[in-house]
């Protein structure tokens, strides 16, 4: 099972910059009361009340589909990342050094003259290799090869922890192969989905022509790709089913695959992906893999070659000439997400460098910007939150002592990672050369693939990080029972080095509690203290948990996000439980602070009020209608507004802090509030 992430954007990058210098001074960090909209009553719309001023002051720039506090941090700090990289570029960096790799890759990304002169040339050898294939065996080889540097064709292959033996890495297969992100886009009958399918077909047609295909061949290829991707999507299990780990675990011996999954040249395929020594494989979703193999067997080989070519073209598009980039943006940026303007080239190049050389950038970043005292304070906060969660477990009236004992064991076994890894990735095998931007991004992808494949059949390295230090995010990983808080998140509005306890517990404290709660949400609770998928609950306690979780599902199902579209309470359940639990755990810990005990107002607000205002600010933002629809389909997190207005009505302390009355629109009767952690 993959890690649970806190935020919506997994690759939101930031740097502390001047903020880190403030951390070593006595400069006070505080809430900005201009972020509020006091024309709205807290009990009518707390999100608007707490963040309406921020929303008004921060309209969505044309290049964004949504613009929130995370995006603003990114916007403000990308300039500092740029300065850091440009400083490297001024030096005589030895070939093969991280500095050379970072600076040279960035230079290629901003070299529009070279990129536009090359056109489709960087991908032409790969398209020619695909065109030359004549047998199914050659197709299998290409499927394996393309999956190492582009989006997975037909189905995905990776190496990761065995859910039922979390100390060992095994080979894994999973549904994949579609370009629209979720099966619903191919199958839904609403007008918006139909429009997106038509526009996606146009994109495919355009990009094939950009790659040098004739009008007739491009039209044929776009129809073929849509046909194959639609058939793959029809077999895919739903996003709600993908959340259930027990439905996504089917471990077979390699010798059983022909019978249990589908007849296929498994030995040759595994040899080509570098897993010839695999003796068993977890096939996460059997039917989609079976259907993909059936298509490989039955589709005309020319159709399969068109489909494989699309995988290369679509993966490479953002690293090619402007005609490819602009066509990609017209669909994925404008039509799917609602963005109005392509992001500047230098920002896109920084994202590419962070993607390809994340820990190389992270190491340089930490050396210059990360204050060690932030890590010390975070460690103390984590301990305080662990104590708080332990107390809340003890006080659960619905859970038996037997299950409580197991829950305490899991809590005590949490691995805590803060700031940056103890051991950095070695990028020595990765060459950044002056051939083409795409060639370098491809080598970077192959480097990551090789770094992954070497773990096959080996013990899991629990020191491994799944985020770079400069990422503004956090995660819980059930297979290693770990919580991780990269350096990038340790700044306002999450963490205030010189702020009062109320805003820190309402900010980073809730983030910590959120990640801890993931270990006990509707899916995380199915993993034990070692990270193994096993049932450690009594049947009665499990039933009581499910009853309480159902309250949250129903509550979010009734939320209308736009027009007649409702939130998906089942799909977002894990994150909603984590938000609710994070708030309860952090507030319980906050009550032990001197500030909470003294209960003195600051800027007219009590400590409790500042706690909840700080929490709401984490999710301040504006979002376009198209992005609301897209995120509701694909994101397991609730939209920012509902991480506030959906979560707080179930927190008793919020009612007390703002004197919420039965007559207030957000009021939920106490007996209808969810009570889990």
């Amino acid at each position: 099972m993959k890690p649970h992430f806190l935020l919506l954007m997994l690759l939101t990058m930031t740097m502390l910059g001047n903020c880190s210098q403030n951390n070593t001074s006595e400069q006070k960090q505080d809430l900005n009361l201009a972020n509020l909209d006091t024309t709205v009553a807290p009990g009518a719309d707390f999100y608007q009340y707490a963040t309406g001023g921020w929303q008004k002051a921060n309209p969505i720039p044309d290049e964004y589909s949504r613009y929130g506090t995370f995006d603003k941090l990114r916007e403000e700090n990308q300039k500092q990342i740029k300065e850091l990289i440009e400083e490297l570029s001024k030096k005589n960096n030895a070939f093969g050094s991280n500095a050379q790799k970072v600076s040279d890759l960035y230079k290629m990304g901003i070299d529009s003259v070279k990129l536009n002169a090359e056109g489709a040339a960087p991908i032409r050898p790969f398209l020619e290799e695909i065109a030359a294939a004549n047998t199914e065996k050659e197709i299998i080889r290409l499927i394996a090869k393309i999956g190492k540097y582009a989006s997975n064709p037909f189905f995905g292959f990776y190496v990761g922890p065995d859910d039922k033996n979390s100390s060992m890495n095994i080979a894994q297969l999973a549904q994949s192969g579609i370009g629209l992100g979720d099966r619903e886009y191919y199958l839904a009958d609403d007008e918006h989905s139909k429009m997106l399918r038509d526009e996606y077909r146009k994109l495919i047609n355009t990009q094939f022509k950009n790659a040098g295909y004739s009008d007739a061949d491009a039209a044929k290829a776009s129809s073929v790709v849509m046909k194959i991707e639609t058939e793959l999507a029809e077999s895919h299990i739903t996003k709600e089913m993908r959340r259930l780990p027990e439905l996504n675990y089917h471990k077979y011996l390699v010798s059983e695959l022909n019978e249990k999954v589908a007849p296929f040249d498994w030995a040759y395929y595994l040899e080509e992906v570098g897993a010839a020594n695999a003796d068993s494989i977890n096939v996460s979703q059997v039917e989609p893999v079976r259907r993909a193999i059936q298509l490989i067997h039955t589709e005309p080989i020319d159709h399969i070659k068109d489909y494989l070519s699309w995988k290369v073209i679509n993966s490479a598009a953002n690293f090619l000439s402007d005609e490819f980039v602009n066509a990609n943006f017209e669909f994925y940026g404008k039509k799917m997400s609602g963005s109005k303007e392509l992001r500047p080239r230098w920002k896109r190049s920084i994202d590419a460098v962070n993607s390809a050389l994340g820990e190389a950038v992270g190491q340089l970043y930490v050396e210059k910007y990360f204050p060690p005292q932030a890590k010390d304070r975070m460690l103390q906060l984590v301990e305080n939150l662990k104590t708080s969660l332990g107390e809340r477990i003890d006080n659960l009236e619905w859970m038996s002592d037997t299950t409580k004992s197991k829950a305490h064991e899991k809590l005590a076994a949490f691995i805590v990672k803060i700031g940056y890894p103890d051991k950095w990735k070695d990028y020595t095998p990765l060459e950044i050369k002056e051939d083409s931007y795409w060639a370098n991004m491809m080598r970077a992808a192959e480097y990551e693939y090789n770094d992954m494949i070497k773990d096959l059949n080996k013990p899991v390295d629990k020191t491994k990080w799944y985020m770079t230090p400069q990422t503004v995010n956090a995660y819980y990983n059930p297979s290693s029972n770990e919580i991780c808080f990269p350096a990038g998140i340790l700044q306002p509005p999450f963490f205030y080095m010189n702020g009062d306890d109320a805003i820190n517990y309402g900010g980073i404290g809730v983030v910590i509690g959120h990640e801890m709660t993931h270990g006990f949400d509707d899916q995380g609770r199915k993993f034990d203290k070692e990270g193994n998928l096993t049932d450690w609950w009594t049947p009665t306690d499990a039933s009581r948990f499910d009853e309480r979780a159902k309250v949250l599902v129903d509550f979010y199902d009734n939320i209308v996000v736009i027009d007649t579209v409702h939130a998906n309470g089942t799909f977002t359940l894990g994150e909603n439980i984590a938000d609710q639990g994070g708030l309860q755990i952090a507030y319980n810990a906050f009550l032990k602070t001197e500030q909470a005990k003294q209960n003195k107002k600051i800027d007219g607000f009590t400590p409790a009020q500042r706690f909840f205002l700080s929490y709401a600010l984490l999710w301040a933002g504006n979002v376009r209608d198209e992005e609301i629809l897209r995120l509701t389909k694909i994101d397991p997190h609730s939209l920012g507004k509902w991480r506030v207005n959906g979560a707080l009505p179930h927190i008793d302390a919020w009612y007390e802090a703002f004197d919420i009355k039965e007559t207030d629109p957000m009021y939920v009767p106490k007996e209808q509030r969810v009570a889990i952690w």
Side-chain angles (χ1 to χ4, degrees):
M1 191 173 182
K2 294 183 178 179
H4 294 274
F5 298 105
L6 172 71
L7 310 178
L8 300 180
M9 295 183 67
L10 303 186
L11 294 177
T12 300
M13 317 304 294
T14 186
M15 301 190 70
L16 295 176
N18 292 332
C19 180
S20 68
Q21 296 169 12
N22 293 341
N23 288 344
T24 60
S25 71
E26 294 303 317
Q27 181 174 338
K28 188 174 184 294
Q29 295 170 317
D30 209 346
L31 293 176
N32 182 357
L33 300 187
N35 291 328
L36 278 65
D37 177 3
T38 54
T39 66
V40 177
D45 183 345
F46 193 78
Y47 184 72
Q48 181 65 28
Y49 168 77
T51 73
W54 192 100
Q55 293 172 49
K56 185 176 181 180
N58 296 277
I60 308 176
D62 286 349
E63 67 193 71
Y64 286 92
S65 57
R66 75 170 180 95
Y67 191 68
T69 49
F70 323 125
D71 308 287
K72 189 169 185 178
L73 282 173
R74 183 176 191 260
E75 181 80 7
E76 293 168 350
N77 289 299
Q78 270 199 319
K79 293 176 182 177
Q80 293 173 310
I81 300 173
K82 179 172 178 255
E83 290 171 5
L84 180 65
I85 294 175
E86 288 179 343
E87 283 178 20
L88 295 177
S89 300
K90 295 174 184 176
K91 299 176 182 177
N92 186 20
N93 302 304
F95 185 82
S97 65
N98 283 353
Q100 173 263 319
K101 293 170 183 177
V102 169
S103 59
D104 284 4
L105 185 59
Y106 176 75
K107 287 176 187 175
M108 287 181 201
I110 61 174
D111 190 349
S112 60
V113 174
K114 184 175 187 292
L115 286 165
N116 286 324
E118 289 172 341
I123 60 171
R124 196 157 290 129
F126 305 96
L127 299 181
E128 290 171 354
E129 182 181 16
I130 293 169
N134 290 311
T135 67
E136 184 174 297
K137 189 163 188 175
E138 289 175 300
I139 291 296
I140 293 172
R141 180 184 64 80
L142 288 169
I143 290 170
K145 181 177 181 178
I146 292 168
K148 295 177 183 179
Y149 64 82
S151 60
N152 287 307
F154 290 108
F155 54 86
F157 171 86
Y158 67 99
V159 173
D162 183 339
D163 275 357
K164 294 192 176 181
N165 181 17
S166 64
S167 64
M168 291 298 295
N169 286 301
I170 62 169
Q172 316 245 7
L173 296 177
Q175 67 184 37
S176 190
I178 59 177
L180 288 177
D182 187 80
R183 70 191 298 271
E184 286 186 28
Y185 284 115
Y186 296 87
L187 309 179
D189 202 36
D190 61 278
E191 292 304 314
H192 183 69
S193 297
K194 290 178 181 177
M195 179 274 292
L196 288 176
R197 287 196 291 271
D198 288 341
E199 294 296 331
Y200 182 52
R201 187 179 287 104
K202 291 177 186 176
L203 169 70
I204 300 169
N205 190 9
T206 297
Q207 297 292 47
F208 268 105
K209 288 192 286 187
N210 288 339
Y213 283 59
S214 68
D215 288 354
D217 287 344
K220 178 184 82 69
S222 62
S223 295
V224 165
V225 170
M226 280 302 295
K227 174 182 178 295
I228 290 177
E229 290 194 5
T230 301
E231 292 193 37
L232 289 171
E234 287 171 347
S235 71
H236 282 193
I237 69 170
T238 65
K239 56 183 176 285
E240 293 84 1
M241 293 172 66
R242 289 201 309 274
R243 292 191 65 249
L244 306 175
E246 66 273 22
L247 297 185
N248 295 272
Y249 186 86
H250 310 93
K251 185 177 177 181
Y252 303 124
L253 294 173
V254 170
S255 59
E256 296 179 300
L257 293 176
N258 280 330
E259 177 188 354
K260 301 285 190 181
V261 182
F264 193 58
D265 194 343
W266 291 107
Y268 182 63
Y269 172 77
L270 292 173
E271 179 183 345
E272 289 299 305
V273 296
N277 60 333
D279 59 2
S280 58
I281 292 183
N282 175 44
V283 184
S284 297
Q285 298 88 27
V286 176
E287 182 53 37
V289 175
R290 180 180 293 133
R291 180 65 180 130
I293 291 171
Q294 183 183 19
L295 287 171
I296 294 168
H297 289 326
T298 59
E299 279 292 315
I301 197 165
D302 285 345
H303 287 190
I304 294 177
K305 290 194 287 188
D306 284 340
Y307 170 74
L308 294 180
S309 296
W310 173 241
K311 291 299 156 190
V312 173
I313 294 169
N314 202 31
S315 295
N318 283 329
F319 310 103
L320 299 173
S321 60
D322 286 349
E323 59 186 359
F324 284 98
V325 173
N326 293 336
N328 213 37
F329 173 72
E330 284 294 318
F331 176 70
Y332 288 110
K334 287 186 178 180
K335 295 296 191 300
M336 282 202 84
S337 303
S339 300
K340 296 181 179 180
E341 184 178 281
L342 182 65
R343 296 174 63 229
R345 189 180 300 274
W346 69 268
K347 293 182 181 180
R348 290 180 275 130
S349 300
I350 285 173
D351 284 350
V353 173
N354 275 308
S355 174
L357 292 153
E359 284 197 17
V361 175
Q363 189 171 4
L364 295 167
Y365 153 67
V366 166
E367 289 172 357
K368 187 169 184 179
Y369 295 109
F370 184 59
Q373 60 267 40
K375 185 168 185 173
D376 294 338
R377 189 166 184 188
M378 272 293 293
L379 286 168
Q380 185 58 56
L381 279 167
V382 169
E383 284 304 309
N384 294 349
L385 270 291
K386 285 178 70 176
T387 299
S388 176
L389 177 51
E391 292 171 350
R392 292 193 65 82
I393 290 171
D394 284 336
N395 292 329
L396 293 176
E397 51 84 20
W398 58 268
M399 182 181 281
S400 70
D401 289 342
T402 300
T403 306
K404 284 181 181 179
S405 177
K406 295 289 186 182
H408 275 292
E409 288 179 10
K410 183 169 185 177
L411 175 60
F414 272 172
I415 297 171
V416 180
K417 296 177 178 177
I418 294 174
Y420 54 90
D422 294 327
K423 182 181 178 182
W424 297 100
K425 275 189 178 181
D426 179 9
Y427 287 97
T428 301
L430 172 58
E431 283 190 308
I432 300 298
K433 301 189 292 190
E434 294 185 1
D435 42 7
S436 74
Y437 194 27
W438 164 244
N440 282 294
M441 294 305 295
M442 185 195 72
R443 282 192 291 270
E446 289 183 325
Y447 163 81
E448 291 294 341
Y449 184 90
N450 292 334
D451 190 56
M452 173 192 72
I453 202 71
K454 67 179 175 54
D455 293 334
L456 179 61
N457 298 332
K458 292 182 180 177
V460 171
D461 178 5
K462 296 197 176 183
T463 67
K464 178 180 179 180
W465 278 53
Y466 295 92
M467 284 179 180
T468 62
Q470 64 270 35
T471 303
V472 179
N473 212 327
Y475 68 81
Y476 171 76
N477 184 11
S479 68
S480 54
N481 195 28
E482 69 178 64
I483 50 178
C484 178
F485 308 97
I489 202 170
L490 303 183
Q491 61 174 320
F494 303 97
F495 177 68
Y496 302 78
M497 188 64 202
N498 295 309
D500 59 287
D501 283 330
I503 59 177
N504 270 321
Y505 278 88
I508 198 67
V510 178
V511 172
I512 296 167
H514 174 106
E515 300 307 336
M516 288 182 175
T517 304
H518 268 314
F520 304 94
D521 69 18
D522 65 311
Q523 304 310 317
R525 75 174 188 84
K526 297 173 181 178
F527 293 80
D528 66 14
K529 66 178 181 177
E530 302 296 338
N532 291 311
L533 180 58
T534 186
D535 191 358
W536 48 271
W537 291 62
T538 68
T540 300
D541 289 340
S543 177
R544 289 172 175 170
F545 178 97
D546 290 340
E547 288 173 5
R548 284 157 175 75
K550 183 66 164 56
V551 175
L552 216 51
V553 170
D554 293 342
F555 183 85
Y556 280 85
D557 275 347
N558 284 322
I559 291 172
V560 177
V561 296
I562 186 172
D563 299 330
T564 59
V565 178
H566 285 245
N568 187 331
T570 299
F571 184 44
T572 59
L573 178 58
E575 298 298 335
N576 295 335
I577 290 174
D579 281 345
Q580 190 263 351
L583 281 160
Q584 300 279 40
I585 295 161
Y587 191 78
N588 184 61
F590 169 63
L591 291 178
K592 297 179 174 60
T593 66
E594 284 302 311
Q595 182 184 15
K597 293 173 183 176
Q598 292 175 7
N599 199 30
K600 293 180 180 178
K601 289 185 177 181
I602 299 176
D603 294 330
F605 292 97
T606 67
Q609 289 172 332
R610 288 171 65 79
F611 174 97
F612 290 110
L613 290 172
S614 180
Y615 171 72
L617 184 59
L618 300 182
W619 311 113
N622 294 296
V623 58
R624 301 190 194 279
D625 291 353
E626 295 91 339
E627 187 70 345
I628 290 175
L629 292 172
R630 189 182 76 87
L631 292 174
T632 301
K633 263 195 172 73
I634 70 165
D635 197 325
H637 305 80
S638 294
L639 294 163
K641 176 179 180 178
W642 300 109
R643 297 188 79 164
V644 177
N645 284 3
L648 293 181
H650 297 279
I651 308 297
D652 293 347
W654 172 72
Y655 288 83
E656 298 166 8
F658 288 93
D659 193 26
I660 307 299
K661 305 292 188 185
E662 290 185 27
T663 53
D664 288 322
M666 286 182 64
Y667 182 88
V668 172
K670 189 172 178 64
E671 66 274 11
Q672 295 178 24
R673 298 171 200 167
V674 71
I676 304 178
W677 298 108

